[in-house]
Amino acid sequence: MELSQTNLYTLCSILLFAIGLLGFLLNSDFIRKLLGLNVIGIAIFMLLLAAAHTYPDAIDPIPHAMVLTGIIVAAAGTALGLNLASKIAKFARLVQKEEAATQAESAYEKSSNDTQGRG
Amino acid sequence: MIKFLANNSHVIEKALIIILVTLFSAFFIFAIFNQAPHSNELQVLTLTQLDKTGVTNIVTAVLLNYRAYDTFIEFAVFLVVAIAVLPYIIDTPVLTFTLQEESQVLLIAKIFIPLTIIMAGYLLWIGSTKPGGAFQASALLAGCLVLLSLANVQVINFTQLRYRLLMSSGLIAFIAVILLLYLQSHSFLTFPVELAGASILVIEFFATFAIALILFLCFESINKGHA
Amino acid sequence: MKRVAMILKVEVNLINNFITIFSIPTLMILPMVIAIICFVAGNTRLSRLISVISSITLVVICALQAGYVLQQAAPIELIIGGWQPPLGIRLSINEFSAIMLLMTSTIGLAITFYSTQYFDDDEKEIRFWPLWWFLITALNGVFISSDIFNTYIMLELLGLSAVSLIAIQGTQQALQASFQYLLVGLFGSLMYLLGVAIIYRTYGVLDNQLVANLVESNTSMQLALALITLGMMMKCALFPLHFWLPSAHSNASAPVSAMLSALVVKAAFFILFTFWFKILAPVVTFTAVTIMGIFGAMAVIYGSYRAFTSPRLKQLIAYSTVAQIGYLFLAFPLMFTTPDLARTAVIYFIVAHGCAKAAMFLAAGVIQKAMGHDQLSQLQGIASQLPISIFVFAVTSASLIGLPPSGGFIAKWLLLNNAVEAQQWWWVLTLFIGGLLASAYLFRVLNLAFTTPTQENSLTVLAISESKLLGAVGLSIITIIIGLNAMWLTNLITGSY
């Protein structure tokens, strides 16, 4: 098997897929997981595009159309994911703020109790 | 031994994942290169039918004629995301962004936006013959809106009816075309040769605005949507 | 007399014409138009009105289609735009998809009616209706699609609208559950897409039938099948990959949980089933189906166990879905030896479980609303306060356990018969254990509901109208009816292959 352009693209797409998969599975961070999914998506698109060039002189347009459709759908999914992630982060910030507030309050109470005790 | 496993469980888990993924990739490479790619002549078929599609760009022909059904559903996917990320649909807390001073971003925006709009129009128009089309054009338009938003100019209040209408206009135009063609040819999504070019242009025109608006909404909803 | 006969004949012709030409596009266009109207108008009363009307229309259309397909024993087909595959896309309704469509529209009607009275927050409701109709569009699309790439787009539409429907609940748990569901959904559909890409690279066609004609058993097809199976297993929450389901289904609002449990997981199962036994059938080996069967058996036992230990009502029902999905996979090894029987059993099981589970989630929604929470420990004596909800719960429980006059009984009976006929009696054991465990966790709820509360934990229940449960009562009656007319239905289904 010679290393033609198509084969090189196919090989690279598989490697890219492995990278994306590792990124998705190894990270626990929301955004990184989403990015990992995007890399996987791009790897699949690359595999499809490599399959479109099996003839040297003509291209097969159907994989190209599939990739265009796929990109838009992936973008939509990513947008929804980022939106949800930012809403969750907002909740986390709220919780943090509340905790900080209650801590400050209890610290204040404690110090006032202390002063009273001393008085 | 068990203690060691318990202490390093996440390291072991990661190592296991890496090994599994490596094995899988090796199998993947083996499986793919073991099998010759197909040799059917679909591209010839798409080319011989091209004069019946109303466009001369072969990818546009696949997207909006041979497999127009996929594109139709894709618009729906976009609208779903728009509905999900809209911060409010009916009642808004009134947010007003006042234009403070001539920021640098606004300066850039003033120069670039007219040019970008012309560029978007051009991309939309050449979509039927060369690479280009609705998505490329809408990405540019969405870029303009993002630039304006970064310059603190509030352009769009998404709670208004007309913007909801505009966001769904791509899908509405598509459905309208489908229904009109139904009257003409009594079959689903069949573009008659003489009407195909015009119908595709109508769909792409409305889709450009709809998608641009939705892309901008996605940006805006994260940027300051539910602050 | 003659004239009447002629008019009748013309009418029949008209209906046949409608079914074969117009009905398939209507399944896609109608829900989408309703979704757009609901979104643009942003008016709850208008949305409720047109939603109920168009749900009824969809039920009528799907019933006509199912009648036509089962009677003629021939699928309805539509080639979009006149472009024959491999160039274009083909849509088709066979007996399996016709029944799935009818079930979707019927359950859809029940839940739509329920939802018109469920929400008390306008903002949520306005977001609910368009997403709801897009979800129905996607379900219809999955069932009628006969093109592997088109199925991918439908899956994405299905996944994203389901995620958005969970997220409209707006609580922190719901948002986290929906994000997890989004990740699982996107990962699952990407695995599916990779499988499709490998199939396209090898054979250069996308139409189901054309792929099925060309496929042979080789390494790359095995890889494609494995990837598609992985993706769909995640989406339909088969045992080792079920981790997302309980939180997603128990944190959504009641109508959404009902739809997710009854239909959305079944759509993924439908795709998996089509790939294993139709499109990539030459690749499937006995070892592979046995492995799926074992996963199914483990799902039955694990899901039932977790349901038994759940502290919350909706979580219990969600784990019960994990268990019930397992039964569907028990039919996989049987498909290998007695395909016709196993197919009928699968279809029967899907319908029985879909109707029962949807009704059960709707009843649980009323209980949750009335009590303000759904902790099982404080459920004592709820039967006297909410009699209709507990009635629905009890009838659907009978079907899930598999007690005689219900559809669930017939479904399990078919599976059992099948396993004996295929001489794989060990699956019978799983059926018995599963039934026992199901009765254990469901009677736990009913038992609590009927005990009189003691003084210190007397119930505080909001006065709440149970009229919205009309659809749920209808669904639970359906589970009984399909149990009583079993012979006729199984013959009808088997006769149409």
Side-chain angles (χ1 to χ4, degrees):
Chain A
M1 187 197 68
E2 90 281 31
L3 197 66
S4 65
Q5 196 185 7
T6 314
N7 284 342
L8 186 65
Y9 274 19
T10 312
L11 190 68
C12 285
S13 75
I14 297 173
L15 293 180
L16 197 58
F17 180 80
I19 293 170
L21 201 57
L22 282 177
F24 178 70
L25 294 174
L26 290 180
N27 288 305
S28 54
D29 192 82
F30 282 173
I31 309 282
R32 287 187 189 183
K33 269 192 186 295
L34 269 178
L35 288 179
L37 281 177
N38 270 302
V39 173
I40 293 178
I42 289 163
I44 297 171
F45 300 148
M46 204 166 152
L47 184 70
L48 272 171
L49 289 181
H53 285 267
T54 46
Y55 285 101
D57 47 344
I59 60 144
D60 183 356
I62 289 194
H64 283 258
M66 278 159 73
V67 167
L68 267 177
T69 314
I71 288 174
I72 305 291
V73 170
T78 312
L80 183 58
L82 288 176
N83 185 272
L84 287 176
S86 78
K87 277 181 191 162
I88 294 169
K90 198 185 110 199
F91 261 113
R93 275 201 302 276
L94 269 181
V95 171
Q96 252 177 13
K97 247 181 219 169
E98 262 170 33
E99 266 173 16
T102 46
Q103 262 174 17
E105 217 166 79
S106 61
Y108 172 75
E109 271 173 20
K110 208 176 173 189
S111 63
S112 59
N113 280 347
D114 283 356
T115 47
Q116 272 175 9
R118 248 175 255 142
Chain B
M1 181 68 190
I2 293 167
K3 205 174 175 187
F4 173 78
L5 283 178
N7 282 342
N8 297 307
S9 64
H10 59 279
V11 179
I12 294 169
E13 200 183 294
K14 280 188 177 174
L16 217 64
I17 289 174
I18 292 175
I19 293 168
L20 278 178
V21 170
T22 318
L23 282 178
F24 173 75
S25 317
F27 177 67
F28 196 168
I29 293 173
F30 168 74
I32 285 282
F33 286 104
N34 217 7
Q35 188 73 36
H38 70 91
S39 57
N40 74 5
E41 276 144 8
L42 208 54
Q43 53 268 59
V44 182
L45 200 62
T46 47
L47 279 172
T48 51
Q49 306 280 333
L50 195 60
D51 52 341
K52 292 186 198 155
T53 60
V55 287
T56 51
N57 179 6
I58 192 164
V59 178
T60 308
V62 176
L63 270 178
L64 283 155
N65 203 331
Y66 300 134
R67 298 182 70 87
Y69 185 57
D70 281 348
T71 312
F72 177 47
I73 304 303
E74 186 192 320
F75 288 174
V77 172
F78 239 83
L79 192 57
V80 165
V81 171
I83 298 169
V85 304
L86 259 181
Y88 297 95
I89 295 185
I90 34 172
D91 43 16
T92 19
V94 183
L95 294 172
T96 44
F97 298 99
T98 43
L99 199 56
Q100 282 138 4
E101 71 237 48
E102 290 270 294
S103 68
Q104 244 98 52
V105 186
L106 194 64
L107 224 67
I108 298 170
K110 275 181 176 168
I111 301 165
F112 275 105
I113 285 174
L115 288 175
T116 321
I117 290 174
I118 294 171
M119 187 67 196
Y122 173 70
L123 272 179
L124 177 66
W125 180 250
I126 63 158
S128 61
T129 50
K130 295 194 181 79
F135 295 118
Q136 290 83 339
S138 60
L140 280 182
L141 283 186
C144 291
L145 290 171
V146 168
L147 206 56
L148 278 178
S149 165
L150 288 178
N152 254 353
V153 183
Q154 201 209 5
V155 258
I156 287 165
N157 176 8
F158 280 105
T159 52
Q160 283 171 342
L161 177 85
R162 60 182 144 191
Y163 291 115
R164 273 182 305 197
L165 202 60
L166 197 56
M167 271 191 274
S168 28
S169 65
L171 207 52
I172 293 175
F174 216 131
I175 291 176
V177 167
I178 288 174
L179 293 179
L180 288 177
L181 292 179
Y182 225 121
L183 295 178
Q184 215 261 346
S185 60
H186 292 288
S187 70
F188 182 48
L189 261 175
T190 306
F191 298 97
V193 186
E194 66 276 9
L195 291 177
S199 327
I200 289 174
L201 194 65
V202 167
I203 294 171
E204 291 223 312
F205 178 76
F206 284 105
T208 307
F209 291 109
I211 294 171
L213 205 56
I214 293 173
L215 285 174
F216 174 61
L217 168 65
C218 292
F219 170 80
E220 195 76 338
S221 73
I222 296 166
N223 190 28
K224 50 188 151 188
H226 39 80
Chain C
M1 210 42 215
K2 236 179 188 176
R3 191 172 287 169
V4 173
M6 255 183 58
I7 290 172
L8 270 179
K9 205 174 176 189
V10 170
E11 297 246 303
V12 168
N13 268 340
L14 261 179
I15 290 177
N16 275 353
N17 261 339
F18 170 77
I19 290 169
T20 47
I21 299 171
F22 291 97
S23 69
I24 296 187
T26 317
L27 286 182
M28 297 302 295
I29 305 272
L30 179 69
M32 218 180 256
V33 168
I34 304 296
I36 294 170
I37 294 175
C38 290
F39 173 57
V40 173
N43 181 329
T44 50
R45 288 177 64 189
L46 177 72
S47 303
R48 288 172 197 165
L49 186 71
I50 55 173
S51 295
V52 171
I53 293 172
S54 51
S55 302
I56 295 170
T57 320
L58 273 183
V59 172
V60 172
I61 293 171
C62 291
L64 285 176
Q65 278 175 341
Y68 182 88
V69 170
L70 291 180
Q71 233 164 30
Q72 309 269 324
I76 312 174
E77 295 212 339
L78 177 77
I79 286 162
I80 295 176
W83 303 110
Q84 289 284 342
L87 207 52
I89 298 172
R90 190 171 58 94
L91 303 178
S92 84
I93 301 183
N94 60 11
E95 73 294 329
F96 194 177
S97 39
I99 292 171
M100 295 298 283
L101 285 170
L102 183 58
M103 187 178 93
T104 308
S105 56
T106 315
I107 295 178
L109 173 63
I111 302 176
T112 303
F113 180 73
Y114 181 89
S115 316
T116 53
Q117 302 173 37
Y118 177 79
F119 291 95
D120 23 52
D121 180 353
D122 266 8
E123 185 67 37
K124 270 185 200 166
E125 185 167 355
I126 279 180
R127 215 178 283 256
F128 170 81
W129 287 115
L131 291 172
W132 170 250
W133 281 105
F134 275 123
L135 186 76
I136 290 182
T137 315
L139 282 169
N140 286 348
V142 167
F143 296 137
I144 62 178
S145 173
S146 188
D147 181 283
I148 53 178
F149 184 70
N150 182 247
T151 307
Y152 164 72
I153 307 280
M154 292 299 175
L155 267 178
E156 287 284 19
L157 182 62
L158 185 66
L160 293 183
S161 48
V163 167
S164 320
L165 277 170
I166 300 174
I168 50 174
Q169 197 67 353
T171 60
Q172 196 181 3
Q173 287 91 352
L175 285 173
Q176 270 162 353
S178 63
F179 189 81
Q180 199 182 27
Y181 185 34
L182 178 81
L183 288 182
V184 167
L186 283 180
F187 185 74
S189 40
L190 280 176
M191 290 299 115
Y192 176 86
L193 183 63
L194 184 56
V196 169
I198 293 172
I199 293 175
Y200 187 82
R201 185 182 181 278
T202 319
Y203 297 112
V205 286
L206 291 169
D207 184 74
N208 282 3
Q209 197 54 51
L210 292 178
V211 175
N213 293 344
L214 287 171
V215 127
E216 324 159 320
S217 183
N218 53 39
T219 345
S220 66
M221 281 307 103
Q222 279 163 3
L223 180 66
L225 183 66
L227 286 166
I228 289 169
T229 309
L230 177 68
M232 291 304 105
M233 264 168 79
M234 287 201 98
K235 285 204 167 224
C236 73
L238 182 60
F239 165 59
L241 303 173
H242 66 281
F243 56 91
W244 58 270
L245 186 138
S247 65
H249 286 198
S250 63
N251 285 314
S253 55
V256 178
S257 321
M259 200 59 165
L260 291 180
S261 259
L263 290 166
V264 175
V265 288
K266 304 294 167 36
F269 178 81
F270 175 84
I271 294 168
L272 192 59
F273 196 80
T274 323
F275 266 93
W276 275 65
F277 301 112
K278 209 162 144 200
I279 304 175
L280 297 180
V283 188
V284 176
T285 60
F286 187 70
T287 327
V289 283
T290 313
I291 291 173
M292 294 307 270
I294 291 170
F295 278 148
M298 279 154 77
V300 169
I301 291 165
Y302 178 80
S304 306
Y305 169 71
R306 286 302 298 269
F308 188 70
T309 53
S310 301
R312 285 175 50 209
L313 181 60
K314 282 184 85 174
Q315 200 184 7
L316 183 147
I317 307 176
Y319 268 115
S320 150
T321 302
V322 173
Q324 300 278 328
I325 289 292
Y327 284 114
L328 292 175
F329 285 93
L330 288 186
F332 269 53
L334 306 176
M335 276 301 283
F336 221 69
T337 40
T338 48
D340 280 5
L341 269 174
R343 232 172 125 79
T344 313
V346 163
I347 294 175
Y348 226 96
F349 206 97
I350 288 179
V351 175
H353 174 246
C355 293
K357 195 44 72 67
M360 196 178 246
F361 260 121
L362 296 184
V366 171
I367 296 173
Q368 190 182 23
K369 266 238 156 126
M371 294 184 21
H373 62 82
D374 63 342
Q375 295 294 330
L376 275 177
S377 52
Q378 289 168 42
L379 217 61
Q380 279 151 332
I382 196 84
S384 58
Q385 310 282 338
L386 299 168
I388 301 177
S389 315
I390 295 297
F391 167 74
V392 169
F393 197 90
V395 173
T396 51
S397 296
S399 183
L400 287 185
I401 297 166
L403 292 180
S406 62
F409 168 71
I410 305 292
K412 280 193 182 167
W413 178 253
L414 286 172
L415 269 181
L416 196 145
N417 250 344
N418 231 317
V420 173
E421 195 148 314
Q423 296 184 328
Q424 298 179 20
W425 54 268
W426 47 91
W427 304 122
V428 176
L429 210 65
T430 324
L431 282 174
F432 277 126
I433 297 174
L436 279 178
L437 284 172
S439 56
Y441 64 75
L442 289 167
F443 276 127
R444 184 173 150 234
V445 179
L446 290 173
N447 190 20
L448 276 172
F450 283 106
T451 47
T452 0
T454 47
Q455 281 297 317
E456 61 261 35
N457 51 8
S458 60
L459 274 173
T460 45
V461 173
L462 288 172
I464 188 166
S465 154
E466 285 185 291
S467 63
K468 54 171 154 310
L469 278 175
L470 185 68
V473 173
L475 287 180
S476 47
I477 290 170
I478 289 177
T479 60
I480 305 287
I481 290 176
I482 59 171
L484 292 175
N485 293 313
M487 274 303 277
W488 179 69
L489 279 171
T490 46
N491 284 342
L492 199 63
I493 297 170
T494 323
S496 64
Y497 296 144

